[in-house]
């Protein structure tokens, strides 16, 4: 933004594709813009709209100082196809609640470079009077401009898309028949916008519930994202089976699947934000908080590299075209005039750029100095971190296999085994409060078997999770863990029972922070609960210190599943 006091309310840019076989889309798009402006201010119906849409010179139309429109059109060169066109406009209007203190600006851009396809962009922002001294002005209510809704709801002359993704106005109900299509949309590399999946939960009192109202979420993100909402628990269950573990949307959570999703890329799943009801505990209106969290990133913030068509872009094309036309003029005086004007404009631009360059060079020098200091501190931190990371390993690596075996046999209780393991592997293993409590009430396992299980988790399993080369953790662990078996998920019937799955929710206290975890994966041995059997349920968690740990939430017997749900727990 050239005006640093501007506050963006909404932005979007998407493609429109002709549905009527017309090469040029400007007439249809311009008609919608004209009707929108006329609805906002009926007096604009008398404006020279043909000039506004086609004039190759800057055009300013106003109704007093409260409503003004600046527009500029740039047509193609003589030898280019007639459909090629760039057009931009900026509409300024005073705020109805604070007419003397706040102005609204809506920029609309249109660019077409190939037949049947064009790009449109919309940017709405407001500017408060900079010299105003008084009570802080209230923020305006969030909304999507009516002009954007008119484009998205057209469906007759053209279709709106972000890449290969259609952009609807309303949320899409996801049923069983739509799962395959949704998964395909997720993995489509040409998809140009996020997909927001709203999960559901069956409440005995209220029926099917969601964390956010899908319709309200769609009203705040349309044009920039597509909202899907599950219509049944069966959809949630079947979708689990279709998605990798780290990409699932569980219960009534919300998942934002960003474009260019790549399940083969290490840590890609961190890009796709996951929101749970736990994140909004204590909120009077979780639905409102979800929208307040998602809307800025999806519909307001302008990324460093964006594809908005700004008025400045159209003006620059106009200047370049004007200069080129001047060169073709037969009169030497005309050529000199255009060249002198171009040189003058370039000198002003160069002067501005030199001033900016000096400023940024000065800032860069300061930043380099600061970066040098931070690098020195970072090296010290890495050295200390490496020292701390190696220290626990050094302690247990000095132990010979014989001494390790003696230490294992010396532990006669589950608590004793766990305490030794946490001393040996503080950077790899952790227990929640519930996990420690399970040692007292749910663990009848032979301490030596429990030792073998936790030792394998701290070594083989932790290494598999940490290695970028691990392709199938379950199969790799099962092939090298000496009879221990890894199960990353429960069975289909257990997944369908939300009460059973809710038993896998836990909280890990990491320093001062509490993190919700989901302990569905588990390492197991034996079939029946007791001395010769063990189940260790865990989650793979990134800690605030930066390291990853296997955080254990239950240790000992089975957590109830579909085949054992009659057992008291």
């Amino acid at each position: 933004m050239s005006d640093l006091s501007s506050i963006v309310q909404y932005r979007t840019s998407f493609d429109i594709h002709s549905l009527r076989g017309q090469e040029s889309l400007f007439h249809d798009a311009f008609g919608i813009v004209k009707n929108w402006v006329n609805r906002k201010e009926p007096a604009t119906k008398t404006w020279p709209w043909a000039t506004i849409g086609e004039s190759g010179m800057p055009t300013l139309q106003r109704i007093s100082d409260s409503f003004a429109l600046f527009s500029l059109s740039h047509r193609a060169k003589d030898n280019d196809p007639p459909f090629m066109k760039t057009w931009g406009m900026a509409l300024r209007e005073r705020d109805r609640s604070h007419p003397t203190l706040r102005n609204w600006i809506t920029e609309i851009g249109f660019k077409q470079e190939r037949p049947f396809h064009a790009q449109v962009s919309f940017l709405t922002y407001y500017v408060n009077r900079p010299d105003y001294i008084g009570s802080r002005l209230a923020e305006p209510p969030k909304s999507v401009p009516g002009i954007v809704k008119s484009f998205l709801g057209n469906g007759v002359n053209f279709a709106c898309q972000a890449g290969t993704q259609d952009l609807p106005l309303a949320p899409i109900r996801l049923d069983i028949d739509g799962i395959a299509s949704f998964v395909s949309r997720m993995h489509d590399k040409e998809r140009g916008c996020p997909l927001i999946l709203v999960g559901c939960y069956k409440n005995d009192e209220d029926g099917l519930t969601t964390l956010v109202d899908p319709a309200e979420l769609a009203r705040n993100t349309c044009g920039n994202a597509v909202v899907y909402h599950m219509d049944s628990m069966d959809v949630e269950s079947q979708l689990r089976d279709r998605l990798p573990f780290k990409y699932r949307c569980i219960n009534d959570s919300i998942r934002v699947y960003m474009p260019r999703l790549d399940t083969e890329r290490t840590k890609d799943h961190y890009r796709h934000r996951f929101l749970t009801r736990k994140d909004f505990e204590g909120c009077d209106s979780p639905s409102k908080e979800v929208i307040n969290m998602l809307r800025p990133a999806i519909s307001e913030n302008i990324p460093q590299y964006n594809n908005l068509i700004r008025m400045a872009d159209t003006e620059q094309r106009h200047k370049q075209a004007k200069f080129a036309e001047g060169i073709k003029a037969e009169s030497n005086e005309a050529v000199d005039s255009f060249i002198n004007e171009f040189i003058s404009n370039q000198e002003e631009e160069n002067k501005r750029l030199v001033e900016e360059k000096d400023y940024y060079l000065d800032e860069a020098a300061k930043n380099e100095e600061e970066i040098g200091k931070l690098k020195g501190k970072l090296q010290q931190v890495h050295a200390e971190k490496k020292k701390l990371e190696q220290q626990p390993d050094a302690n247990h690596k000095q132990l010979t296999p014989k001494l390790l075996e003696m230490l294992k046999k010396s532990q006669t209780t589950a608590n004793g085994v766990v305490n030794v393991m946490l001393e040996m592997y503080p950077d790899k293993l952790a227990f929640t409060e519930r996990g420690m409590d399970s040692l007292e009430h749910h663990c009848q396992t032979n301490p030596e078997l429990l030792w073998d299980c936790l030792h394998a988790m701290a070594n083989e399993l932790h290494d598999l999770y940490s290695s970028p080369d691990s392709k199938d953790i379950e199969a790799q662990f099962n092939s090298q863990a000496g009879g221990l078996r890894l199960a990353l998920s429960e069975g289909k019937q257990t997944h369908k029972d939300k009460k059973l799955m809710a038993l896998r929710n836990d909280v890990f206290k990491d320093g001062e922070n509490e993190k919700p975890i989901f302990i569905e994966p588990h390492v197991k041995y034996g079939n029946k609960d007791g001395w010769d059997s063990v189940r260790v349920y865990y989650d793979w968690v990134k800690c605030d210190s930066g390291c990853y740990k296997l955080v254990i939430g239950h240790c000992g017997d089975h957590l109830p599943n579909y085949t054992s749900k009659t057992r008291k727990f």
Side-chain angles (χ1 to χ4, degrees):
M1 300 298 301
S2 59
D3 190 339
L4 297 181
S5 64
S6 301
I7 302 174
V8 174
Q9 177 81 344
Y10 178 87
R11 60 95 181 106
T12 189
S13 180
F14 50 79
D15 301 324
I16 57 176
H17 306 283
S18 176
L19 297 176
R20 300 190 300 146
Q22 288 188 298
E23 283 193 341
S24 175
L25 286 156
F26 180 72
H27 177 76
D28 292 331
F30 185 72
I32 295 177
V33 174
K34 173 186 172 182
N35 291 336
W36 173 69
V37 175
N38 291 163
R39 287 195 300 271
K40 293 177 77 68
E41 177 51 70
T44 60
K45 293 179 180 180
T46 61
W47 280 0
W49 284 100
T51 302
I52 293 173
E54 299 296 339
S55 176
M57 298 297 293
T59 302
L60 176 64
Q61 303 291 331
R62 69 167 67 232
I63 299 177
S64 72
D65 289 332
S66 63
F67 199 90
L69 183 147
F70 176 75
S71 66
L72 179 63
S73 175
H74 170 65
R75 272 292 182 184
K77 301 175 185 176
D78 292 340
N79 58 339
D80 284 335
F83 57 76
M84 293 187 67
K85 181 183 178 75
T86 302
W87 177 83
M89 62 157 271
L91 177 67
R92 189 192 70 199
E93 51 188 319
R94 288 183 177 179
D95 186 88
R96 294 180 180 179
S97 301
H98 309 283
T100 63
L101 301 177
R102 175 177 290 164
N103 281 328
W104 285 89
I105 296 91
T106 301
E107 290 191 32
I108 301 175
F110 174 93
K111 181 169 67 176
Q112 182 168 1
E113 297 179 335
R114 57 194 180 110
F116 313 111
H117 304 276
Q119 179 192 351
V120 292
S121 71
F122 306 88
L123 176 64
T124 300
Y125 55 95
Y126 63 89
V127 183
N128 295 327
R129 201 176 88 188
D131 61 349
Y132 166 69
I133 299 176
S135 301
R136 183 180 178 87
L137 299 181
E139 291 187 11
K142 305 292 186 180
S143 63
V144 173
I147 181 68
V148 176
K149 296 177 182 178
S150 295
F151 269 76
L152 296 177
N154 183 271
V156 176
N157 299 326
F158 52 76
C160 301
Q161 290 184 321
T164 56
Q165 177 64 53
D166 290 330
L167 294 173
L169 265 173
I172 298 175
R173 183 172 62 89
L174 181 59
D175 55 19
I176 296 293
D177 295 334
I179 290 178
S181 175
F182 174 77
V183 174
S184 176
R185 292 277 86 213
M186 278 180 54
H187 290 87
D188 186 352
K189 301 298 183 185
E190 301 301 318
R191 171 167 58 87
C193 70
L195 303 181
I196 306 177
L197 179 59
V198 179
C200 60
Y201 182 77
K202 189 173 184 180
N203 188 304
D204 292 338
E205 296 180 358
D206 304 323
L208 216 57
T209 63
T210 58
L211 182 55
V212 65
D213 178 2
E216 187 64 26
L217 180 59
R219 279 192 288 271
N220 278 270
T221 59
C222 63
N224 289 295
V226 179
V227 176
Y228 285 81
H229 64 101
M230 303 180 193
D231 74 345
S232 70
M233 299 304 299
D234 290 336
V235 172
E236 195 264 0
S237 178
Q238 292 197 26
L239 199 55
R240 283 193 189 203
D241 298 334
R242 297 288 297 269
L243 298 179
F245 175 72
K246 294 182 178 180
Y247 291 83
R248 294 173 180 173
C249 182
I250 301 167
N251 296 333
D252 59 349
S253 301
I254 298 168
R255 193 84 189 240
V256 183
Y257 297 102
M258 301 301 288
R260 297 177 298 282
L261 182 146
D262 187 357
T263 57
E264 298 298 321
R265 188 169 60 196
T266 305
K267 299 181 181 180
D268 175 73
H269 58 281
Y270 290 120
R271 293 196 304 116
H272 312 285
R273 187 63 195 271
F274 185 69
L275 304 177
T276 68
R277 189 170 291 276
K278 184 77 175 178
D279 298 324
F280 303 94
E281 281 188 348
C283 295
D284 294 333
S285 176
S287 182
K288 183 178 179 180
E289 289 300 318
V290 169
I291 293 172
N292 289 341
M293 180 181 291
L294 293 180
R295 181 186 163 100
I298 292 176
S299 295
E300 296 176 9
N301 299 343
I302 299 178
Q304 182 177 1
Y305 302 100
N306 65 80
N307 56 352
L308 293 174
I309 306 167
R310 304 295 306 280
M311 277 297 300
D313 301 327
T314 307
E315 289 180 288
Q316 182 63 23
R317 289 194 176 208
H318 174 69
K319 289 178 181 179
Q320 293 172 351
K322 185 179 178 184
F323 173 71
E325 290 171 3
I327 294 297
K328 294 178 182 178
E330 294 181 2
S331 168
N332 289 333
E333 293 181 0
V335 173
D336 291 342
S337 175
F338 279 112
I339 290 177
N340 288 333
E341 181 183 352
F342 180 79
I343 291 174
S344 176
N345 290 335
Q346 290 301 111
E347 286 177 343
E348 291 182 7
E349 181 68 10
N350 287 341
K351 182 180 178 181
R352 184 185 66 79
L353 291 175
V354 167
E355 292 175 352
E356 285 191 3
K357 176 185 175 184
D358 291 341
Y359 169 77
Y360 286 118
L361 284 175
D362 184 52
E363 289 296 307
K366 294 178 182 178
N367 290 338
E368 285 293 334
E369 182 180 355
E370 185 65 21
I371 288 172
K373 295 178 181 178
L374 292 174
K375 282 183 176 179
K377 292 182 180 179
L378 186 61
Q379 289 177 351
Q380 294 178 358
V381 171
H382 280 314
E384 289 296 323
K385 182 174 180 289
K386 186 174 181 181
K387 183 178 179 181
L388 291 172
E389 288 177 344
Q390 292 177 343
Q391 186 174 357
D393 285 344
N395 289 336
H396 69 77
K397 284 181 179 178
Q398 293 175 0
L399 298 175
T400 65
K402 184 175 181 180
L403 288 176
L404 277 174
E405 187 67 20
M406 291 176 61
L407 184 59
K408 177 175 77 170
K409 292 184 178 298
S410 69
Q411 303 306 314
T412 58
T413 65
N415 275 306
V417 171
V418 169
N419 289 335
V420 172
M421 284 293 163
L422 293 178
E423 286 291 329
M424 292 174 61
Y425 304 105
D427 55 335
K428 295 183 177 182
L429 297 180
F431 274 71
T432 66
E433 292 184 6
R434 172 186 168 186
M436 293 300 295
D437 183 69
S438 68
L439 299 174
E440 294 288 342
H441 301 96
H442 301 286
C443 186
Q444 307 171 40
T445 301
N446 178 352
E448 292 188 20
L449 174 58
L450 181 59
W451 175 288
D452 291 337
C453 182
L454 296 178
H455 189 270
M457 291 177 69
N459 290 277
E460 288 83 359
L461 187 56
H462 193 282
D463 289 348
L464 287 172
Y465 270 100
S466 302
S467 173
D469 299 325
S470 297
K471 299 297 183 183
D472 188 341
I473 292 178
E474 191 171 302
Q476 289 177 274
F477 180 82
N478 292 341
S479 67
Q480 56 184 286
L484 293 167
R485 308 293 292 177
L486 171 64
L488 292 177
S489 63
E490 300 286 1
K492 294 182 180 180
Q493 296 300 323
T494 301
H495 278 162
K496 292 181 179 181
D497 192 319
K498 298 304 146 184
K499 291 184 178 179
L500 292 177
M501 294 307 297
L503 296 175
R504 276 76 179 162
N505 293 321
D506 199 359
V507 176
F508 171 51
K509 189 171 184 179
D510 184 14
E512 297 299 320
N513 298 322
E514 290 189 347
K515 299 181 177 180
I517 64 173
F518 191 65
I519 54 171
E520 182 179 9
H522 55 281
V523 177
K524 58 185 179 179
Y525 184 89
N527 296 319
K528 297 182 178 181
D529 295 339
W531 184 258
D532 295 322
S533 177
V534 68
R535 295 291 185 279
V536 179
Y537 294 80
Y538 70 90
D539 196 359
W540 177 248
V541 179
K542 183 178 181 180
C543 300
D544 291 342
S545 63
C547 70
Y548 284 83
K549 295 183 182 181
L550 295 167
V551 178
I552 297 166
H554 180 81
C555 189
D557 56 10
H558 290 78
L559 280 179
N561 55 30
Y562 181 75
T563 58
S564 65
K565 62 183 179 180
T566 56
R567 178 167 58 88
K568 295 289 185 180
F569 188 82

